[in-house]
Amino acid sequence: MIVTIVGVGYVGLVSSAVFSDFGNVVFGLDVDEKRIERLQRGEIPFYEPGLTELVKRNLREKRLRFTTSYKDAVSQSDIVFICVGTPPKENGEADVTYIFDAAKKMAKYLQEGAIVVLKSTAPPSTTDAITRLIRERTKRSFSVAACPEFLREGSAVSDYLAPDRVVFGVSDEKSKEMLFRLHQPIKGERVVLDPKGAMMVKYASNAFLASKISFANAIANLCDRVGTDVKPVLDGLGIDRRIGRSFLYPGVGYGGSCFPKDVLALISIAKKYRYDFTFLKVVHKMNEEQIPYFIEKAEKHLGTLKNKEIAILGLSFKPNTDDLREAPSIKIITKLQKKGAKVTAYDPVAMENAKKLLKDVKYAKNPFDAVEGKDALFLVTEWNQFHELDLPAMKKAMRYPLLLDGRNFYDPDTLKAIGFIYEGVGR
Ligand code: NAD
């Protein structure tokens, strides 16, 4: 098959690499000329394990081509995926401008019978709007479908190849047959429903996972007051297969390019249909309260934070990515700086991106360098390599041995035995 992927960000680039690796000819299309030039040279614009090799191999074999030309790509394609961003607007709604722009630009080049597939996360009504925008611009027949994406940054390639399910939102048999064929090598159960339902699956999934995190935070905050360790409590809860252990991880709350924006978008979709999604409003509010809760814990030990030196370990919104969109680290550092603290940060891959977003932060060469002479260490992202730190030496190097564990990553007893003053949540 010949496929165009519009928008080669995290989702679009992984889609392009995987579908070309299956033997299809894939045009990765983007409006960002610099990004396309770099991709043509085999340079990946972000950190994602396993992606560089996949892109390079398929570039070499000439199945994968990067372009800025809608005409060249779309006019040859059987299927066109829309993978552009849907960032949050001020009021929480998903901004679908980029999707509409893509639909308008591709319309006149679509082949007879082409299938346009929405992969971006967007309100259920978006597929109807895309249909209208294209219909106004071409006399050829076409179909619009929705195939939401569930990959996680940091394990995007393996998630793409072996998801729990592939969701096909289709309105006709031909789209279903073509999309089944394209996805044939991908594992996972198939769920077939209409395009609106497909988008509801995506929003409901992210909203539910975010809810599990906020629920775990609520239980942890209560364990703090009850005086018991939340970890075995959540083990005891999550072993129940009806509930499951995943995403029951308390800490500084969820961040990233999806959960915060998709929770707010679903609240605003509900509002459009005059449904008050009180439940999700509380999930969001709870998430907003977790970082201030940790800052209070720091103040409990340090008093005022003015002129206190604080080391931050981990900047990316989660391990194995350099993505800083809605990363808790950004909010934490900004809040600490507002209170007069001086921040030194270390992250294995995200420091270059952080330099573009944060002011007055010092960047350390390694974790040890970050903590030397500091009043507190705040672990924000649970990179695996932070398990292997020489914590006794780090404790010695600090001015005051306060460790704020924003991910409940370390064992409190081990840390206390080393001499740290340990603060997690619910420990
Ligand atoms: P991204 O910001 O990394 O990439 C979007 C790309 O689209 C950019 O390169 C941008 O230049 C390009 N673009 C914008 N307008 C365009 C246009 N008119 N024509 C061509 N290219 C255009 O976005 P992302 O993180 O890949 O997310 C894309 C969508 O997938 C979003 O709706 C997101 O919610 C959803 N999603 C993301 C993830 C994730 O982990 N990042 C996972 C599942 C779903």
Side-chain angles (χ1 to χ4, degrees):
M1 275 189 229
I2 304 183
V3 177
T4 290
I5 308 282
V6 181
V8 279
Y10 286 88
V11 168
L13 187 55
V14 177
S15 305
S16 306
V18 166
F19 288 137
S20 58
D21 209 48
F22 293 163
N24 303 291
V25 169
V26 176
F27 292 94
L29 187 160
D30 208 289
V31 285
D32 183 339
E33 286 176 15
K34 281 207 180 101
R35 172 164 288 203
I36 290 298
E37 278 166 22
R38 287 184 62 190
L39 284 167
Q40 285 166 340
R41 293 196 296 270
E43 289 170 28
I44 308 301
F46 44 80
Y47 177 82
E48 185 59 50
L51 187 57
T52 307
E53 302 83 81
L54 209 56
V55 167
K56 283 192 169 160
R57 179 163 73 235
N58 288 286
L59 268 176
R60 233 179 6 250
E61 295 183 9
K62 300 199 172 15
R63 283 192 296 266
L64 179 56
R65 304 160 195 184
F66 292 106
T67 179
T68 54
S69 165
Y70 273 88
K71 184 175 179 218
D72 290 353
V74 174
S75 62
Q76 304 184 53
S77 294
D78 306 297
I79 303 182
V80 180
F81 281 91
I82 301 180
C83 300
V84 299
T86 46
K89 291 200 226 169
E90 281 280 302
N91 63 2
E93 254 176 63
D95 183 352
V96 289
T97 324
Y98 303 105
I99 294 179
F100 290 172
D101 183 51
K104 287 180 201 162
K105 283 182 172 145
M106 74 175 67
K108 67 174 174 188
Y109 302 119
L110 284 169
Q111 279 187 15
E112 180 69 27
I115 301 168
V116 177
V117 186
L118 179 64
K119 205 174 230 327
S120 305
T121 307
S125 58
T126 311
T127 46
D128 285 345
I130 293 173
T131 308
R132 231 177 9 255
L133 288 170
I134 298 177
R135 175 55 56 236
E136 285 164 10
R137 289 166 174 80
T138 181
K139 291 202 163 53
R140 298 204 176 111
S141 70
F142 63 92
S143 303
V144 175
C147 255
E149 184 48 54
F150 298 91
L151 65 78
R152 293 162 299 177
E153 289 174 24
S155 53
V157 175
S158 51
D159 284 353
Y160 208 98
L161 293 170
D164 288 337
R165 74 316 209 174
V166 187
V167 174
F168 299 98
V170 288
S171 333
D172 56 83
E173 266 308 305
K174 186 190 157 203
S175 302
K176 180 183 159 191
E177 188 264 320
M178 294 276 282
L179 288 171
F180 263 53
R181 191 141 61 87
L182 181 68
H183 289 78
Q184 200 271 331
I186 294 178
K187 296 193 176 84
E189 283 190 34
R190 272 52 181 153
V191 178
V192 182
L193 68 182
D194 65 0
K196 286 192 172 100
M199 276 304 145
M200 282 306 292
V201 174
K202 175 65 194 174
Y203 276 115
S205 304
N206 276 358
F208 190 77
L209 295 173
S211 306
K212 276 188 98 174
I213 295 173
S214 279
F215 184 79
N217 279 330
I219 296 293
N221 295 351
L222 184 55
C223 283
D224 263 343
R225 288 152 175 92
V226 169
T228 187
D229 185 356
V230 70
K231 188 175 176 298
V233 171
L234 291 174
D235 289 339
L237 175 71
I239 285 166
D240 186 330
R241 269 174 294 170
R242 293 169 303 176
I243 297 169
R245 185 68 177 87
S246 61
F247 285 82
L248 287 177
Y249 293 104
V252 286
Y254 56 78
S257 64
C258 292
F259 287 179
K261 90 172 167 63
D262 292 348
V263 164
L264 290 176
L266 191 52
I267 293 169
S268 95
I269 290 164
K271 191 173 168 202
K272 281 220 161 120
Y273 293 94
R274 287 189 290 283
Y275 177 70
D276 184 6
F277 213 145
T278 319
F279 174 87
L280 265 192
K281 288 181 183 167
V282 173
V283 168
H284 169 68
K285 180 170 173 283
M286 290 232 28
N287 198 56
E288 296 283 288
E289 287 168 358
Q290 273 319 95
I291 289 173
Y293 186 49
F294 266 92
I295 306 262
E296 275 171 33
K297 283 173 183 271
E299 285 170 331
K300 186 176 83 186
H301 294 280
L302 300 175
T304 171
L305 297 183
K306 200 165 174 9
N307 292 325
K308 294 287 176 348
E309 300 240 15
I310 298 185
I312 301 285
L313 282 194
L315 292 166
S316 54
F317 84 90
K318 66 173 183 179
N320 297 323
T321 178
D322 59 358
D323 197 345
L324 285 168
R325 288 179 285 183
E326 294 286 325
S329 65
I330 305 293
K331 289 185 187 160
I332 291 169
I333 291 172
T334 312
K335 279 195 194 316
L336 289 172
Q337 288 178 328
K338 266 201 184 128
K339 288 182 176 275
K342 294 178 180 155
V343 175
T344 302
Y346 172 79
D347 186 283
V349 299
M351 292 197 288
E352 284 312 309
N353 284 347
K355 286 175 191 168
K356 296 173 210 151
L357 294 175
L358 291 162
K359 277 195 192 129
D360 301 325
V361 172
K362 281 191 204 151
Y363 293 93
K365 290 195 291 290
N366 53 53
F368 188 86
D369 178 38
V371 300
E372 209 167 9
K374 302 299 186 298
D375 298 297
L377 157 60
F378 202 153
L379 181 113
V380 181
T381 315
E382 68 281 32
W383 283 89
N384 253 337
Q385 57 188 262
F386 295 157
H387 272 301
E388 299 304 320
L389 299 176
D390 184 350
L391 290 166
M394 286 170 70
K395 188 250 151 195
K396 259 194 212 144
M398 288 176 71
R399 183 157 56 202
Y400 188 75
L402 174 62
L403 193 145
L404 298 152
D405 187 350
R407 299 290 176 182
N408 280 2
F409 182 70
Y410 292 116
D411 173 48
D413 291 337
T414 312
L415 273 275
K416 283 176 197 162
I418 294 170
F420 277 106
I421 299 165
Y422 178 88
E423 282 283 0
V425 52
R427 308 305 303 270

